[in-house]
Amino acid sequence: MIEQALTGHRNYWIWSLALLAMVAGAFYASALQSADGFVHTGMGNNAIWGLYHAQLPFLASIAAASLAVLVPGTLQKYSFLARLAPLAAFLGATASAMSLLFIAADLGMQRRFLTLLLNPSPGAPASWQVPLLLLFLALTLAVGWAQVGAVQKGVKQPAWIRSAVMIAIPAGLALPVISAFMLAVVPGSELWTSPLLAPRLMASGVAAGAGIMLVMAVAAEQLAGFKAGEEALERLAAVAAWAGLGSLVLTGIEAGTVVLGNVTAQTSALGLLYGNSPFASASLFSLLAGAAAIGLLLVPSLRRSSIAAASLGALLAFSVWLQSGLTLILAGQVREGLATVDYAPALPEILLTSGVWAGAVLLITVLLKITASAQLEREGL
Amino acid sequence: MMNNDRRDFIRKAGIGLLAGMGAASGILTGGGFERTTSAAWAVEPGDTGRRWGMLIDTRRCREGCTLCIESCHHTHNVPDVSSPAGTVEWMHKEDGRELLGSACPSTAALPALCNHCAEPSCARACPTDSIFRRTDGIVAIDYHRCVGCRSCMQGCPYGEVSFNWSDPRAALKNPSVDYPTRQRGVVEKCNFCSDRLARGKKPSCVEACPEGAISFGNINNPSSEIRRLLESNQTLQRKPELGTRPSVFYII
Ligand code: SF4
Ligand code: SF4
Ligand code: SF4
C-alpha cells in the first residue's frame, strides 16, 4: 500500500516538501535542546510548563474523540460511518504519536524516557499516560492499516479488528480522564482541580475531533477522489455541533458555580481566564469562535455544504485547542510564588512545536492518500 | 526572588487580579487564626515508625540573617544561579504573611523549606516514583531516576521543588565533598539532611543557626524535644487546609 504514498501530483509534492521543511526545523530545535537543555525556550521558574505540555490535554481528547467514529464504523453492521473508520483510526494514532513526542520534548532528561515505562508509580495518574498512549497508538494504527488493506483487496475486515477496537475503547476514554487527573493532583490550583475538567475535555475533544475528521474527509474527497458519502459527512458535522454545545454548557455551568459560590480563590482563577489577564483574549476568542462555529454547524444547509462544514469544523477545533491546549495549562499553572503570567515561547520552542504538528499533518496526508487510493482502486475493478 | 516574581505577576496581571489574588492568599492559608492542633502530629495507623519534623521559632530568627540558607546550600552543593528564572533553592526566606497567611502577625522574612508532608502532593504527581516519601517521613528525590518532567514542581503547593534549568555544576563556586552534585534536567529540594542524619548529625541549617531557632526531631516520639515544644507552644503550618500534612511547624 505504501507505494501509493509515493505517486501524486505536483501540488501534493509541494505540500509535502513544505511540511518536511517544518519537520526539519523541529529536528534543528530538538538538537539545540539536547545540547543546551531548556535555555532556548521561554520556560523557567516563571513558566514551569510551556508550549509542549500545553498540547497534551488537547491531543489526549482528540485521540479519545476518534472513538466516536471508529466504534460505530467498525462494530456496527452497515454503518455509513464505516468508510470513515480508517480516517478516525489514523487520527487517533496520529494524536497519540504527537502526545508521545511532546512528552519526550518536555523532559529535562530525555534519555531517561524509558523510565516512564520501567518505573511507574500506579498511584500517580501521570504514570498511566505513556503506557496508555503507546497501547492506543498500536491499536489504532493496526486497525486503520488493516481496514485500508481490506478495502483495497475488497475482502471483509479481519475478525481481530473488532477485539482491537473493543480494547481501544477503555484505553482511549481513559486518555482525557488521565490528563485531567494529572492536573487534579495539584491542591490549590482551582483551574485544574475542577471535577468538570474531565467531562469538559471529553466533550470539547469530541467536538474538535469531529471537526478535524470533517476537514480530513472533505480534503480527501476534494483532492484525492475519496468518497465519504454525504450522510457520513453530515453526521460528523452534527456530532461536532452537539458535542460542542455540550462542552459550552459544561463551561457555563462551571463558571456559574464559581460566580455564585464566590470563593475568592475560584473567582480569581476564573479571572485569570476571562478577567483582566493576558490570557483573556485567547479565552474569549476561543469561547466566541467556538460558539459561532457550533451555532453555524447547527444550521442544516451549512452543515450539508461540505466546504462550509469543513471550515467550521477547523474553526471549532482551533477554538478547542486554544482552550484545552493553551490556556488550561499556561493560565492554570499561575500560582503565588510559582509560575507567573509572564511567558512567551521562544523561537526554537515554536519551531519544535510547529514541526511536530507539520509532521502529523504530513502523516495524515499520506495516510489519507493511501486510503483514497485503496478505495479508488477497488471501485476501478 | 519569589517576592519579585510575585510583584511582577501582580503588576502584569493588573489591578483586578491583584485584589483577587491578594484576598485569595489570605483565604487559602486559613482566614481565621488556624493554629496547629495535636491532630497535626497524630500517628496515623500503619505509620508507626519515625516521622522527622522541624519547628522554627520565628521569634528567635534574626532579621537579615541567612546563615541557615548559606550553610544548607553549601553543604548540599545547591547551585547559585543568578537569573531569577533559573534559581535553585533548598531553603529561602519569605515574608511571614506570604508564608503562613494573614493569620501571621509577622511580616519579617522567615525561613522556608520543603515541609516533608505526610501526604505529599508532589509524590502523587510524579510519573516515575522519583520523588517519594520514605518510611521515616522524609520526602526524597532520586536524581538518577528523575526524568525532569517537572510535574512535582506543579504538584507542590509551596513551590519548594526547584528544577535545574541550566548546568548546576557550572554554578558551584566552592563545591563541598559531603554531598553529590546534580545534572542539568533534574529537580531537587531540601532532603531534611537525610545524608547527615545517616551519619548521626543534625541538619545543617539547625547547626548553623546562631540563635538555636530551629529544632529537629522525631515527632512520632511523644518524649522527643520537638514534641514537647509542639505541645507547649502555639504553632502554625503552611497552608494546612490543603491536606498535605506538613511536618514543618512555626512558632510565631
Ligand atoms: S513541601 Fe512540597 S515538595 Fe515538600 S513534601 Fe510537601 S508537597 Fe512535596
Ligand atoms: S521532575 Fe522528576 S521527580 Fe519531579 S515528577 Fe518528574 S520525574 Fe518525578
Ligand atoms: S534540613 Fe538540611 S536540606 Fe533541609 S533546609 Fe535544612 S540544611 Fe537544607
Side-chain angles (χ1 to χ4, degrees):
Chain A
M1 290 188 286
I2 253 334
E3 63 280 0
Q4 281 126 6
L6 300 172
T7 53
H9 294 293
R10 213 175 110 235
N11 287 347
Y12 169 70
W13 284 110
I14 295 177
W15 171 245
S16 305
L17 285 176
L19 291 171
L20 269 179
M22 290 174 75
V23 173
F27 273 105
Y28 166 73
S30 117
L32 262 187
Q33 192 173 306
S34 347
D36 305 331
F38 291 126
V39 290
H40 302 295
T41 72
M43 290 186 278
N45 290 337
N46 53 320
I48 294 164
W49 284 337
L51 218 44
Y52 305 150
H53 200 100
Q55 314 294 323
L56 297 180
F58 175 77
L59 290 172
S61 72
I62 294 296
S66 65
L67 292 171
V69 169
L70 186 59
V71 172
T74 310
L75 299 186
Q76 279 174 15
K77 272 194 174 153
Y78 314 117
S79 165
F80 49 80
L81 289 176
R83 282 181 172 179
L84 293 181
L87 266 62
F90 290 146
L91 177 64
T94 309
S96 324
M98 289 173 76
S99 298
L100 289 164
L101 288 176
F102 281 120
I103 290 171
D106 203 32
L107 295 185
M109 279 284 169
Q110 287 177 334
R111 63 192 135 91
R112 294 186 188 157
F113 185 84
L114 281 183
T115 309
L116 288 164
L117 288 173
L118 301 178
N119 243 316
S121 107
S127 285
W128 295 86
Q129 197 187 24
V130 167
L132 275 174
L133 282 169
L134 282 170
L135 176 67
F136 197 69
L137 171 61
L139 289 171
T140 46
L141 200 59
V143 165
W145 200 251
Q147 281 175 333
V148 174
V151 169
Q152 192 191 28
K153 295 193 202 96
V155 294
K156 270 183 63 183
Q157 296 184 6
W160 60 262
I161 282 191
R162 292 174 66 86
S163 336
V165 170
M166 295 219 235
I167 303 172
I169 296 173
L173 289 180
L175 287 172
V177 178
I178 293 292
S179 282
F181 281 6
M182 277 173 64
L183 300 174
V185 297
V186 183
S189 66
E190 305 296 335
L191 289 180
W192 290 354
T193 48
S194 160
L196 281 187
L197 185 54
R200 254 179 46 214
L201 279 180
M202 285 172 135
S204 63
V206 170
I212 295 175
M213 281 186 267
L214 260 177
V215 177
M216 287 166 61
V218 171
E221 266 194 352
Q222 303 283 328
L223 304 171
F226 175 74
K227 283 188 204 65
E230 245 168 59
E231 251 181 335
L233 287 182
E234 207 192 329
R235 170 64 71 90
L236 265 185
V239 167
W242 288 108
L245 201 61
S247 117
L248 274 185
V249 168
L250 288 176
T251 307
I253 291 177
E254 193 170 36
T257 311
V258 167
V259 169
L260 287 171
N262 201 26
V263 175
T264 319
Q266 290 175 0
T267 48
S268 55
L270 197 67
L272 261 180
L273 286 185
Y274 300 108
N276 188 357
S277 119
F279 302 108
S281 39
S283 300
L284 288 171
F285 175 80
S286 156
L287 203 62
L288 296 179
I294 292 161
L296 292 174
L297 278 173
L298 287 171
V299 177
S301 58
L302 284 176
R303 199 159 66 213
R304 272 182 223 117
S305 138
S306 55
I307 298 284
S311 323
L312 291 171
L315 181 64
L316 184 55
F318 179 66
S319 83
V320 172
W321 174 76
L322 280 177
Q323 177 206 314
S324 55
L326 284 189
T327 56
L328 175 67
I329 296 299
L330 300 182
Q333 70 179 347
V334 174
R335 279 190 292 288
E336 281 179 87
L338 264 178
T340 62
V341 290
D342 174 20
Y343 163 74
L347 185 63
E349 220 174 343
I350 297 174
L351 279 180
L352 207 161
T353 307
S354 48
V356 171
W357 276 96
V361 174
L362 182 61
L363 183 66
I364 293 264
T365 308
V366 170
L367 291 171
L368 281 181
K369 192 155 185 310
I370 293 174
T371 312
S373 318
Q375 198 191 47
L376 282 179
E377 217 171 280
R378 188 69 221 145
E379 278 164 12
L381 281 181
Chain B
M1 160 253 154
M2 294 285 178
N3 290 341
N4 280 341
D5 265 359
R6 187 175 143 70
R7 241 174 262 128
D8 244 32
F9 155 52
I10 286 170
R11 185 165 47 74
K12 291 196 174 102
I15 302 299
L17 261 170
L18 170 95
M21 295 297 285
S25 62
I27 282 174
L28 276 174
T29 39
F33 207 67
E34 204 170 309
R35 290 195 182 100
T36 310
T37 62
S38 58
W41 55 81
V43 181
E44 296 276 293
D47 186 14
T48 47
R50 258 194 212 124
R51 177 178 168 196
W52 293 117
M54 185 178 275
L55 177 61
I56 301 177
D57 186 345
T58 63
R59 297 168 303 188
R60 294 204 213 165
C61 179
R62 276 192 211 157
E63 186 102 46
C65 167
T66 51
L67 288 171
C68 54
I69 303 172
E70 281 155 33
S71 150
C72 168
H73 285 189
H74 174 252
T75 315
H76 296 110
N77 286 319
V78 179
D80 183 14
V81 183
S82 48
S83 89
T87 329
V88 177
E89 290 170 320
W90 284 29
M91 197 183 210
H92 53 107
K93 269 185 146 183
E94 223 176 305
D95 179 304
R97 298 204 175 183
E98 301 265 331
L99 215 58
L100 297 163
S102 56
C104 175
S106 166
T107 53
L110 305 177
L113 64 160
C114 166
N115 293 290
H116 296 274
C117 305
E119 303 272 353
S121 53
C122 55
R124 280 203 302 281
C126 178
T128 56
D129 215 7
S130 301
I131 185 164
F132 53 92
R133 187 170 186 261
R134 314 192 325 180
T135 50
D136 60 1
I138 294 182
V139 175
I141 294 174
D142 184 339
Y143 309 123
H144 300 286
R145 203 196 295 165
C146 169
V147 295
C149 67
R150 311 181 300 294
S151 305
C152 52
M153 279 179 97
Q154 301 281 14
C156 172
Y158 309 98
E160 290 301 344
V161 184
S162 296
F163 182 69
N164 284 296
W165 297 100
S166 51
D167 179 13
R169 287 166 192 157
L172 285 177
K173 283 176 201 103
N174 171 23
S176 123
V177 290
D178 290 340
Y179 196 74
T181 54
R182 275 76 63 194
Q183 305 177 62
R184 187 189 73 207
V186 300
V187 292
E188 58 180 84
K189 65 167 189 67
C190 154
N191 66 353
F192 248 14
C193 282
S194 53
D195 52 315
R196 292 170 56 94
L197 295 175
R199 283 179 274 140
K201 291 189 182 170
K202 279 193 179 164
S204 174
C205 56
V206 175
E207 270 185 7
C209 178
E211 305 288 342
I214 312 178
S215 321
F216 187 86
N218 175 12
I219 58 177
N220 273 357
N221 176 3
S223 54
S224 64
E225 168 75 1
I226 189 167
R227 264 291 280 280
R228 192 185 60 70
L229 287 168
L230 280 171
E231 276 158 21
S232 58
N233 285 284
Q234 301 276 13
T235 61
L236 295 177
Q237 291 165 300
R238 292 172 69 186
K239 300 185 183 174
E241 73 283 3
L242 294 182
T244 47
R245 302 183 59 226
S247 304
V248 174
F249 300 81
Y250 292 83
I251 300 179
I252 298 300

